[in-house]
Structure formats: structure tokens, C-alpha cells
Amino acid sequence: MTSPSISPSANSSQGWFSYPIRVQPHHTDYGGIVWHGTYITWLEAARVEALAAVGIEFADLVAIGVDLPVVDLSLRYHRSLRLGDRAIVYARLLPTKGVRLVWDYSIEPLDNEASNRAESGVHKSARQKGGSDRSYVTGQVTLAAIDPKRGKVLRRYPPIFTEALEKLRA
Amino acid sequence: MTSPSISPSANSSQGWFSYPIRVQPHHTDYGGIVWHGTYITWLEAARVEALAAVGIEFADLVAIGVDLPVVDLSLRYHRSLRLGDRAIVYARLLPTKGVRLVWDYSIEPLDNEASNRAESGVHKSARQKGGSDRSYVTGQVTLAAIDPKRGKVLRRYPPIFTEALEKLRA
Amino acid sequence: MTSPSISPSANSSQGWFSYPIRVQPHHTDYGGIVWHGTYITWLEAARVEALAAVGIEFADLVAIGVDLPVVDLSLRYHRSLRLGDRAIVYARLLPTKGVRLVWDYSIEPLDNEASNRAESGVHKSARQKGGSDRSYVTGQVTLAAIDPKRGKVLRRYPPIFTEALEKLRA
Amino acid sequence: MTSPSISPSANSSQGWFSYPIRVQPHHTDYGGIVWHGTYITWLEAARVEALAAVGIEFADLVAIGVDLPVVDLSLRYHRSLRLGDRAIVYARLLPTKGVRLVWDYSIEPLDNEASNRAESGVHKSARQKGGSDRSYVTGQVTLAAIDPKRGKVLRRYPPIFTEALEKLRA
């Protein structure tokens, strides 16, 4: 007996990574909806799994002296998710100069197509503008790259990380 | 491009439900390990998904007037999980009288076998005693069944819920 | 034996409310600093306590049919707070039209003056522009006013709430 | 204008430390009550502040190579706290042998006496047995003492820590 299998997946042709979520009791607040800060945990998990999907384990990155603290975060809440709801966090890297990473997000309903194809990558041709009418939450999160031991901003990434980012942006 | 697919699954022949987890930054604390309260969220998700696997959506249960608040919780922490670690939350319902549910848990490493077979159910013949030498955390969580509107303990479950519990215990 | 007493306080002459915080283990992440999502909990507590300081208990507000969900949130992270650090969340209501509330925030070190006077209100003449060079985090949070039962945006606030907001903005 | 001042305090004659709490939206769940895992954060804060009240800053302890991970946790949930509720976390150290610390807890209503005297220490002669009829939650949390760099259990505490513990138990 197996429950429906929904796993993180990336679709390199579109540059969007999809991360499925499901609202558990601890995500909700007194209003019966997802507490607004809960989304931050999902955005974080989505970008960690997006990096993992192109071969970069975040823990390994930290171990070699590259940390990626959040320096800027902006979110817009359009509609509420409720207890038991399933949804997809869509995440993509925006083009940036220098060593900042800007992630663009849209959390959207898990539609039938996504549900059927969740393991093999999701085509999102209909929502390329970033954020659709159906979005629960849209936003951007900016990360700096630092050397955590010295507390200094990095001038450049390790080559292996640069290559992985290119895959994500492809 | 698809990341390794690991999904919740249940194995009715053993009565254990397995729920895969992965340590994200927000799960950790200053010590670089999972903060001890984080495990509570995983135990909750595991039992919600175990119920879903036998046809009971927790949100539906609440909607028909059955809530399952935690009345007792005991956990033992044996070893630490660290950033990026993957593991499996094993959960099963213990036999009980009346309308209390006692969940038994063991959080264990994601071994190779589990990794390969995670979608189709995990045989755990070697660890039936509950908690193995390799457990990170073991524990029990007891739930009462109440009618949230009246704030009263239920005398009996709705039949559809009783049947689902029998499937979980089978 | 009494630990240093630090309590929420408001200074109506400046329009800023001050809410003292202290970094506990569960606020931190693997980097030894406050996890970026933790700040959201402090911003929320600061605005709830600011309302309480002018006579509006948030729970009462919800009970009479006024909820204040977050519709927009933007934060900038300037410096990190670490385990054990104390700081002050400064919060004030910006002038707005209609029934949206825009809270302006700056989280700053607990300096000696603030420490000595924390119970009686903090003068902040040096930082009126909003966000000082010493800020850990600055940001804004926008709330809508809705009737949670009908799921509709309110056209106007209850008079008692309008009066309380005027006190906060005074 | 100052909100009611409620601060952590210890009463060495009784051995109980009191830590006031207040239920914010992020502490609640869909049921309108405090989510069961939230209490873990308050228990942690209460013991960190109890140590601070006898001169031990937890961050300093970690800095000198003593960490106190939780190895055992058991909680009983008797009654629910709701949005906006105030309460007191009572915490005391139980007598133990060796380098384990066992904290005993009872979370209780903020009664009138406590409210009036919260800053100067709370006499709890009526509830010495640990947990009263009015408790929301009772429980125990056991900590081990380890050297985090070497990952080994400590044989003994630094003398300064032993002295502080004696003050707490006095």
C-alpha cells in the first residue's frame, strides 16, 4: 500500500523547480489557515531541494565554507491555504550579477496535470510571467554568499557551485 | 530531471507506516543539529499521512466534528540528526481500549534498502521490537478524540474512522 | 532574586512601540545565528502587544469578527543576532488610507539607556528616520482587515479599534 | 504609557522559577488553541532564563564547551491555552546524580497574586507537589551535559556551573 507519490522535481527547459507541500496542523493558526510565517520554511526547503536536484547538497556547501544567508525577503499573500491542502512551490533563479542569488517564487494549487506528473517534472508554459491568478503566495528571496568562518562576503563562488547554478538557470 | 523520489508509504503486513524526512536549515539549531522540538512536527506529519494512506483525510475528520488533540507525549533522543540528513519516521498504532490513540515511533536512518524501495513500502522485519540500535529518536504520542465544538471527549469514533484504524493496525 | 525586568512598552510621543526580545536556542540555526524566519514571530508579537498597550486585545478583536491577516511582508536583514543576544523590536503604524495597516519595523541593539529604562518607554530621537545604522533587521508588514466568517474585506473598522489606532499613531 | 510588566523571576526559597508567557497567533493551530509543540519553546526559554537568573548565560556555557542537549522529554496536556491567554511556566531542577539535569514543569494560569507580584518572585506554597489541578501542561525534560566539539558526555561540570545549579536548587 503506497500513498500518492509526490516528489520534488525540476524541469530544466523552463527553469522552474517544483516542490510539493501539504498543510499539516502545525502549519496552521487560530484562523484555520496557514500562518503567514510558515511559508518561509517551504521557500527554504524548495531552494535547498532545487540545488540538490542539480547536484549541490547545501550541507556540503556549508562544509566547504560557503553559506547563503537571506538578506532580503518580500512576499505577497493572495489567497489562503488551509489544513490538508496540497500545493506546489514553484521556484526559479533570476539572472543576477555578482554573488547574490535572487529566487523568484509562486505557490500554486496542485492541479490535475501536476498531480499526475509530479515525479517527472512539471511543464508550466501557462504561467511563465511569474505568479498566476491562482497563486496563494508570490515573492522573492535574495541570498548573499559568505564565508561563515570569516564572516565575509565571497567575491566568487566555487566553480562547482557556479556550474550547478547554470544548470538551474538553463 | 528528477530528484530521488521518496514518498510516504505504509506496509500493512507489518503495521508500520514510514514517512521520509530531510533536515532543512530551519530544523537545526546553533549546535548544527536538529532542534529537539522539530521532531514533534515530523511525528505529527507522519500520523496525518498514515491516516491519509488508509483513506482518512485529517481535515475531513475535523470537519465532521472529530479532533485528535495530543494528551501525552514522551520522547527519547538517542542520536542527533544534522543538516541535510535524510531519515525515516516509522509510526504505528498500538492496541488501545476506548477512544485514545497511542502512536509508537522510531526515527531511523534511511538505509540503502529503504532508499531503493521507499515508494513501495518498507519491510522492517529486523526492527519489530520498536526502536532499533540505530534510532535517532523513539517515543510515543497519545491522542484523545474530542468534539471540538462541544469540547467533550467522544464516546466512540465514527464507523468510517474505526474501519480505517483497523486497516492501520492490520 | 529577580532577573532584569524588561517589558513591552510604548512611547506615545514618538509613535514607536518597543518590544524586547532575547535569542533562545530554538530561534537559532546551524550557523549559530537567528534563523531568518524567526523574526516573523517577533514582528507579530510586537504588533499584538502594541495593540494591547492601547487597550485592544487581539483575541477580542477576532472574537468580534475582525481578523488582520498579513497581505504583504518585506524584510531586509542587515546584521545577525546570535544565541543569547537581547534586542528591541521597534514598531510603528504608518499613515494609511482605508482599512489596511502598515507596520514599520526596526530591530536594534538593546543599548544601556534602553536597558535601564525599558519599562517606562524608550526615547528614540536619534532614529526617527526609521532604521538606524545599528539595525539587525528592518521591514514592513501590511495587514488587511477582514471578517473571517464571511471571508470578506471590511469596509471600516469598529469605532473602538479606530480610536485605539489613533492612540498608536499619536 | 506602559503595558503591564511581567518578567521572569525566581524565588530561591521555593526552588521554583516562574516564566510568564502569552499566546500569540503563531503559537496557535487550526483548533484555536496552542499547538502542542509550541510548549517546547516555552519550556526551553524558562530553563535558559532560570539559569540566567542565577548568573549563567547559556550562550557563555556553550562558548566554554558545555552544551546541554535534551535526551528525554515527557509532557502531559491537561487543558488548552487559547489565543491571547497569559500563563506562567513554573520550572525547577529536581535532585539528580551525575551530570544530568532533570527539569520539572507546570504551566499554570496567571492568577491575580502572580500578576501583581510577577516581578518580585512568586510564592507557590500551595502547589509544591508539582502540578496543580489548574495546570495546563505538566512535564519533565532531561538534559545531558556534553562537550559539543568532541561529542562526548562530560564527567563533571565546570565549578561555576555547579555553584549556579546549587543556587537554583536551594
Side-chain angles (χ1 to χ4, degrees):
Chain A
M1 175 180 46
T2 303
S3 66
S5 179
I6 300 169
S7 301
S9 57
N11 181 336
S12 63
S13 69
Q14 302 292 334
W16 287 92
F17 179 80
S18 61
Y19 180 77
I21 56 170
R22 155 89 135 160
V23 180
Q24 300 294 348
H26 66 271
H27 296 133
T28 62
D29 69 14
Y30 66 93
I33 61 175
V34 171
W35 179 66
H36 67 283
T38 296
Y39 294 94
I40 316 289
T41 64
W42 292 331
L43 302 185
E44 177 178 82
R47 61 183 178 263
V48 167
E49 297 301 337
L51 289 176
V54 292
I56 298 290
E57 287 292 324
F58 185 64
D60 294 345
L61 207 58
V62 173
I64 63 169
V66 180
D67 200 358
L68 298 171
V70 171
V71 293
D72 200 288
L73 181 153
S74 68
L75 295 181
R76 301 190 71 177
Y77 299 83
H78 309 284
R79 295 191 298 140
S80 299
L81 278 165
R82 307 189 78 83
L83 183 62
D85 284 352
R86 294 178 186 278
I88 301 279
V89 180
Y90 290 107
R92 66 173 174 176
L93 266 180
L94 295 184
T96 43
K97 298 170 188 169
V99 291
R100 295 208 157 185
L101 299 180
V102 182
W103 289 90
D104 190 30
Y105 290 100
S106 176
I107 303 182
E108 301 185 13
L110 179 71
D111 61 21
N112 293 336
E113 187 200 6
S115 185
N116 292 335
R117 305 184 48 181
E119 283 182 81
S120 54
V122 180
H123 293 281
K124 292 181 295 328
S125 50
R127 49 174 294 290
Q128 299 228 32
K129 284 165 280 180
S132 77
D133 292 348
R134 306 185 310 148
S135 295
Y136 296 108
V137 170
T138 52
Q140 295 192 349
V141 176
T142 304
L143 314 176
I146 65 162
D147 174 342
K149 284 190 185 161
R150 299 194 303 164
K152 291 204 175 171
V153 173
L154 292 177
R155 292 198 184 176
R156 65 196 67 192
Y157 295 127
I160 191 175
F161 187 55
T162 306
E163 288 161 25
L165 295 180
E166 279 164 14
K167 279 191 210 167
L168 267 182
R169 287 185 176 120
Chain B
M1 174 180 48
T2 303
S3 66
S5 180
I6 299 168
S7 300
S9 56
N11 182 336
S12 64
S13 69
Q14 303 291 333
W16 286 93
F17 179 80
S18 61
Y19 181 76
I21 56 169
R22 155 90 135 158
V23 180
Q24 300 293 348
H26 65 272
H27 297 134
T28 62
D29 69 14
Y30 66 92
I33 61 175
V34 171
W35 179 66
H36 67 284
T38 295
Y39 294 94
I40 314 289
T41 65
W42 292 331
L43 303 185
E44 177 178 82
R47 62 184 179 263
V48 167
E49 297 301 337
L51 289 176
V54 292
I56 298 291
E57 287 293 324
F58 184 64
D60 294 345
L61 206 59
V62 173
I64 63 169
V66 181
D67 200 358
L68 298 172
V70 171
V71 294
D72 200 289
L73 181 153
S74 68
L75 295 181
R76 301 190 71 176
Y77 300 83
H78 309 284
R79 294 191 298 140
S80 298
L81 278 165
R82 307 189 77 84
L83 183 62
D85 284 351
R86 293 179 186 279
I88 301 279
V89 180
Y90 290 107
R92 65 172 175 178
L93 267 180
L94 295 184
T96 43
K97 298 170 188 169
V99 292
R100 294 209 159 185
L101 299 180
V102 182
W103 289 90
D104 190 30
Y105 290 101
S106 176
I107 303 182
E108 302 185 12
L110 180 71
D111 60 21
N112 293 337
E113 187 199 7
S115 184
N116 292 335
R117 305 182 50 182
E119 283 181 82
S120 55
V122 180
H123 294 280
K124 293 182 292 331
S125 51
R127 49 175 294 289
Q128 299 227 34
K129 284 165 279 180
S132 77
D133 293 349
R134 305 185 310 148
S135 295
Y136 296 107
V137 170
T138 51
Q140 295 192 349
V141 176
T142 304
L143 313 175
I146 65 162
D147 174 343
K149 284 188 185 161
R150 299 195 303 165
K152 291 203 175 173
V153 173
L154 293 177
R155 291 197 184 176
R156 67 196 66 192
Y157 295 127
I160 192 175
F161 187 55
T162 306
E163 287 160 25
L165 295 180
E166 279 164 14
K167 280 190 209 167
L168 268 182
R169 287 185 176 120
Chain C
M1 173 179 46
T2 303
S3 66
S5 179
I6 300 169
S7 301
S9 57
N11 181 336
S12 64
S13 69
Q14 302 291 333
W16 287 92
F17 178 80
S18 61
Y19 181 76
I21 56 170
R22 156 90 135 157
V23 180
Q24 301 293 349
H26 65 272
H27 297 134
T28 63
D29 69 13
Y30 66 92
I33 61 174
V34 170
W35 179 67
H36 67 285
T38 296
Y39 294 93
I40 315 289
T41 65
W42 292 331
L43 302 185
E44 178 178 80
R47 61 184 178 263
V48 168
E49 297 301 337
L51 289 176
V54 292
I56 298 291
E57 286 292 323
F58 185 64
D60 294 345
L61 206 58
V62 173
I64 62 169
V66 181
D67 200 358
L68 298 172
V70 171
V71 293
D72 199 289
L73 181 154
S74 68
L75 295 181
R76 301 190 70 177
Y77 300 83
H78 308 285
R79 295 190 297 139
S80 298
L81 278 165
R82 307 189 78 83
L83 182 63
D85 284 351
R86 293 179 187 278
I88 301 279
V89 180
Y90 290 106
R92 65 173 175 177
L93 268 179
L94 295 183
T96 43
K97 297 170 188 169
V99 292
R100 295 209 158 184
L101 299 180
V102 182
W103 289 90
D104 190 31
Y105 290 101
S106 176
I107 304 181
E108 304 186 11
L110 180 71
D111 59 24
N112 293 336
E113 188 200 7
S115 186
N116 292 335
R117 305 182 49 182
E119 283 181 81
S120 55
V122 179
H123 293 281
K124 295 182 293 326
S125 50
R127 49 174 296 287
Q128 299 227 34
K129 284 165 281 179
S132 77
D133 293 348
R134 305 185 309 149
S135 294
Y136 295 108
V137 170
T138 51
Q140 296 193 348
V141 176
T142 304
L143 314 176
I146 65 162
D147 174 342
K149 284 189 184 160
R150 299 194 304 165
K152 291 203 174 172
V153 173
L154 292 177
R155 292 199 185 174
R156 66 195 67 191
Y157 296 127
I160 192 176
F161 187 55
T162 306
E163 288 160 24
L165 295 179
E166 281 165 12
K167 280 191 209 167
L168 267 181
R169 287 185 176 121
Chain D
M1 177 180 46
T2 303
S3 66
S5 180
I6 300 168
S7 300
S9 58
N11 180 335
S12 64
S13 69
Q14 303 291 334
W16 286 93
F17 179 80
S18 61
Y19 181 76
I21 56 169
R22 154 90 136 160
V23 180
Q24 301 293 348
H26 66 271
H27 296 134
T28 62
D29 69 13
Y30 66 93
I33 61 174
V34 171
W35 179 67
H36 67 284
T38 295
Y39 295 94
I40 315 289
T41 64
W42 292 331
L43 302 185
E44 177 178 82
R47 61 184 179 263
V48 168
E49 297 301 336
L51 289 176
V54 292
I56 298 291
E57 286 292 324
F58 184 65
D60 294 344
L61 206 58
V62 173
I64 63 169
V66 181
D67 200 358
L68 298 171
V70 171
V71 294
D72 200 287
L73 181 153
S74 69
L75 294 181
R76 302 190 71 177
Y77 300 83
H78 308 285
R79 294 190 298 141
S80 298
L81 278 165
R82 308 188 77 83
L83 183 62
D85 284 352
R86 294 178 186 279
I88 301 279
V89 180
Y90 290 107
R92 64 171 175 179
L93 267 180
L94 295 184
T96 43
K97 297 170 188 169
V99 292
R100 294 209 159 185
L101 299 180
V102 182
W103 288 90
D104 190 30
Y105 289 101
S106 176
I107 303 181
E108 303 185 12
L110 180 71
D111 60 23
N112 293 336
E113 187 200 6
S115 185
N116 292 334
R117 304 183 50 181
E119 284 182 81
S120 54
V122 180
H123 293 281
K124 293 181 293 333
S125 50
R127 49 174 294 289
Q128 299 227 34
K129 284 166 278 180
S132 77
D133 292 349
R134 306 185 310 148
S135 294
Y136 295 107
V137 170
T138 51
Q140 295 192 349
V141 176
T142 304
L143 314 176
I146 65 162
D147 173 342
K149 283 190 185 160
R150 298 194 304 164
K152 290 204 175 172
V153 173
L154 292 178
R155 292 199 183 176
R156 66 195 68 192
Y157 295 127
I160 192 177
F161 187 56
T162 307
E163 288 161 24
L165 295 180
E166 280 164 12
K167 280 190 209 168
L168 268 182
R169 287 186 176 119

